[in-house]
Amino acid sequence: MTQTIRNIASIIKATWMGKNDVAIIDSISIDSRSLQNDDNTLFFALSGPNHDGHSYIEELIDKGVKHFVVTHIPKSVEGRANFLLVENTLEALQKFASYYRSLFDFPIIGITGSNGKTIVKEWLNFLLSPDYNVIRSPKSYNSQVGVPLSILAINEKHNFGIFEAGISMMNEMEKLQKIIQPNIGILCNIGSAHDEGFPSVAEKIKEKLKLFTSVTVLILNKNKTILAFVNPKIKTFTWSSVDKTAAVFITTKKTDDLTELQVTYKEDTFPLTIPFQDQASIENAIHCMMVMLYLGYNSKVIQTRISQLYPVEMRLKVKNGSTNCTLIDDSYSSDFQSLKIALDFLENQKQHKKKTIILSDIFQSGLNNEELYSQVSQLIISNKINRVIGIGETISQYKNKFINCSTFKNVSEFTDAFDNLNFGNETILIKGARDFHFEKIVSLLEEKTHETVLEINLNAISHNYNFFKSKLAPNTKMMVMVKAFGYGNGGFEIAKLLEHHKVDYLGVAFADEGISLKTAGISVPIMVLNPETTSFSAIIQHHLEPEIYSIKGLKAFLKIAEQKKLKHFPIHIKIDTGMHRLGFEEGNIQELSQILKGNESVQVKSILSHMATSDDMKHDAFSKSQIALFDKLSSQLQKELNYNSIRHILNTSGITNYPEAQYDMVRLGIGLYGISNDSDEQKELETVGTLKSIISQIRTISAGESVGYGRRFIAERETKVATIPIGYADGIRRSWGQGVGYVVIENKQAKIIGSICMDMLMVDVTDIDCKEGNAVLIFGENPTVSFMAKQLNTIPYEILTSISQRVKRVFYRE
């Protein structure tokens, strides 16, 4: 993309204010944190309920960005850059993308539906790439922001486009239609996702169909309900397994791990083998086949290519590697746009100063190889990658374009040289096209642990953080608690994401938690809430900030501070307003003030207290009495000290129930991890942690036989028993066994039978069609952590923090 500021201003109907209206723009950005922003970037300052891109303009100018689309010019940057003033920056981005799309005249497929959009898109890309130079949405870029960014990646060499459109409420699809302008439409499965955003299922269907108002053809599973809403002027190309009047009639038969189809189209019937058995994958593959039929592919080509379809991994995963490495696994795709996304994610999640990328040949860029690898090189340089390992015949030819680069023609050559590559203490992005089988590289580098994993959804963390952030006044700061290993979810990875979101403070319980984060490179201020006097020297050494809650502790810290000749070292004063756990009481305030007054060794950075009943409105009067006492005592202390400190008393429930007491900062805890005591609020939060395992073994026992220690389960009938490699040493309470709890296998509940063992538990799978190696859901969407806690008469905190650190954490972003 190459446009001038003058041209863009005209397209988006902006008022230009600046010094150079003929400046060349070759990239668009909405992320101030991306290292790919440069002097040819046009930054759209998007504003939403949880953020305002205008806040980062000064920082971006200091980094070299010169061009901005804004609704207003902050006073601090007046005259320092090119500004395009518009009424709404998101609408301006969409308007520009719509214009840019109109510059190209080649087939564009638009895909929508509730489920399967991304998989159909990725499979179509695989199926059509031998014949077309395809541009497609990277990852799941299907939103009001993601779609325009996807369209703006088109270049002159592309001759086929595949874009998905996702909506969650009314009046969104019309905007996406104007941007994508599809010629061919695919309506995937319509399910219950986002039902809450629509008055009815009928309105949801009508809204999704707005994507196809100008298509030449609409491909869909023949369904009378949906067809009733389709404009009769739109040509449809339908398939069905029940209605023989559909354009394509299909019968299915499942064998082993495959599904065999008989496809009848016009006068021809041909067999088709799909390497999946689940219904969703079958439907997705049929939609792909329908596109190939419409485009005129013969049955032989369709048979060959469809049989080679593969599971699509839609996540960027963070994994522990051997030799103290961190792996970012993106080993199933290699195209230019998704490379940009992966490099931003690498910067977000890097856990070591040294950054390495293992990269295969890049396909479907629309550029000639010379230009492509020049741009890839610049991208890698801008992201400050320390080492490049290229794998593939083509990238090997352009080795000289990369700094500190070694190349191999294939994965086998890399494997042979593996021991001499000296991986250690680095973050490694592994990004390769599927044909290269980079999963072998991931396996080589990955730390070996057992098959039980806790998957942490970083998108959900971001969503929940922004949800609570949206409840705050504009100037209210946010502290997030990452104590207890991030409530069992993982400390550093979550801290790094929060740092990326520019959180104001992190909170830990003990000094060693904070030291671990600081040693790993976290720069956000960290408060230690329960510091022991023996840890004060280490706290000072690692630039942590202690909470002080007693006269004895204060004197001990001041003694060390004076010995080390500290000046204004930040401390935090805890006041007890009714929790009666830790903190200065009202009677201590005068003595506390006298000790602190005029002492230059320390500075009271904040004054805080902790609410005991903010989650239970039955104790509303008590909560308000705590807030009133905190206001009185903190005000008194600030007056005595003659300077203002940050004040904070609200925890997660307090943020929702007592917004009038936000003061200068709030402390977000369990809410970040997707758990609320309020049932309405719970619906707004996303599940963060999903605990999974597999079936190790299946056996059948006769009536009268027993399972597990103490023979606490006796079979009343012939029973099929599956053993799962997770037990109480992993954090699953024994009281969850003996028929109380369950796991989910193949979307069905399997009761836990007998006693839960240290490393294993057993479940009844008599009525479930499953086999050894199948996935098992321990908790996540169902059962939820809150449900488990209620059944066990405990709280979600205990369930989460009990998950052993021997359980591997896998962090991912959709």
Side-chain angles (χ1 to χ4, degrees), residues 457 459-460 463-464 672-675 682 684-688 781:
N457 185 340
N459 296 79
H463 169 86
N464 297 339
L672 182 77
Y673 306 98
I675 294 170
Q682 184 64 59
E684 301 292 333
L685 301 179
E686 294 185 359
T687 300
V688 169
E781 295 288 350

Side-chain angles (χ1 to χ4, degrees), residues 363-375:
F363 302 131
Q364 301 159 305
S365 68
L367 306 171
N368 63 55
N369 285 335
E370 181 69 28
E371 187 177 358
L372 168 63
Y373 288 101
S374 293
Q375 290 194 22

Side-chain angles (χ1 to χ4, degrees), residues 478-542:
M478 176 83 87
M479 172 188 282
V480 177
M481 311 309 297
V482 291
K483 61 182 181 177
F485 194 51
Y487 288 58
N489 293 284
F492 173 82
E493 294 82 359
I494 291 172
K496 188 67 181 173
L497 178 61
L498 293 168
E499 185 173 61
H500 190 65
H501 282 300
K502 301 185 184 294
V503 70
D504 299 287
Y505 260 93
L506 297 174
V508 297
F510 299 105
D512 56 353
E513 295 176 307
I515 291 169
S516 174
L517 294 177
K518 284 292 186 182
T519 302
I522 297 296
S523 60
V524 174
I526 299 175
M527 185 192 298
V528 182
L529 281 83
N530 303 325
E532 298 156 318
T533 55
T534 54
S535 68
F536 283 160
S537 292
I539 284 173
I540 292 167
Q541 178 187 345
H542 292 278

Side-chain angles (χ1 to χ4, degrees), residues 180-390:
I180 299 173
Q181 301 168 40
N183 319 108
I184 301 169
I186 301 176
L187 183 64
C188 294
N189 177 275
I190 300 287
S192 60
H194 302 298
D195 273 356
E196 66 280 2
F198 302 91
S200 65
V201 173
E203 290 300 323
K204 179 178 177 179
I205 294 169
K206 287 194 284 186
E207 182 70 17
K208 288 184 180 292
L209 288 171
K210 289 179 182 177
L211 180 62
F212 310 122
T213 53
S214 300
V215 296
T216 305
V217 66
L218 170 59
I219 294 169
L220 73 162
N221 185 351
K222 191 169 186 180
N223 178 295
K224 290 181 179 179
T225 302
I226 292 174
L227 285 171
F229 296 106
V230 175
N231 186 331
K233 293 181 181 179
I234 295 175
K235 177 185 175 183
T236 59
F237 186 37
T238 60
W239 64 271
S240 179
S241 296
V242 292
D243 187 344
K244 292 187 177 182
T245 65
V248 179
F249 184 71
I250 298 166
T251 60
T252 63
K253 177 185 176 184
K254 296 179 181 179
T255 58
D256 298 324
D257 294 327
L258 308 173
T259 301
E260 294 179 358
L261 309 183
Q262 286 293 322
V263 179
T264 301
Y265 174 49
K266 295 182 178 177
E267 304 301 321
D268 186 24
T269 297
F270 61 91
L272 189 64
T273 300
I274 298 173
F276 303 97
Q277 284 199 324
D278 64 288
Q279 191 58 37
S281 294
I282 294 169
E283 284 193 24
N284 293 334
I286 290 172
H287 279 123
C288 293
M289 176 205 70
M290 293 290 288
V291 171
M292 297 183 79
L293 285 173
Y294 176 75
L295 293 175
Y297 283 85
N298 65 53
S299 59
K300 295 287 186 186
V301 174
I302 295 173
Q303 288 168 328
T304 301
R305 294 186 188 176
I306 291 284
S307 69
Q308 296 170 357
L309 291 179
Y310 51 87
V312 173
E313 180 54 72
M314 293 180 285
R315 302 167 171 179
L316 281 158
K317 292 184 177 179
V318 181
K319 301 177 177 179
N320 290 329
S322 55
T323 62
N324 196 35
C325 288
T326 301
L327 311 182
I328 296 178
D329 181 1
D330 194 14
S331 55
Y332 293 97
S333 69
S334 183
D335 60 90
F336 191 67
Q337 292 307 311
S338 66
L339 175 60
K340 289 182 175 182
I341 295 169
L343 286 169
D344 277 342
F345 185 68
L346 167 62
E347 182 62 23
N348 178 338
Q349 280 293 312
K350 67 179 181 186
Q351 299 188 21
H352 308 275
K353 289 182 178 179
K354 184 178 179 182
K355 296 184 290 185
T356 295
I357 181 170
I358 302 176
L359 182 67
S360 78
D361 289 348
I362 293 176
F363 302 131
Q364 301 159 305
S365 68
L367 306 171
N368 63 55
N369 285 335
E370 181 69 28
E371 187 177 358
L372 168 63
Y373 288 101
S374 293
Q375 290 194 22
V376 171
S377 172
Q378 288 305 308
L379 201 58
I380 286 172
I381 290 169
S382 69
N383 279 269
K384 301 174 183 177
I385 304 299
N386 303 95
R387 174 163 64 153
V388 178
I389 296 174

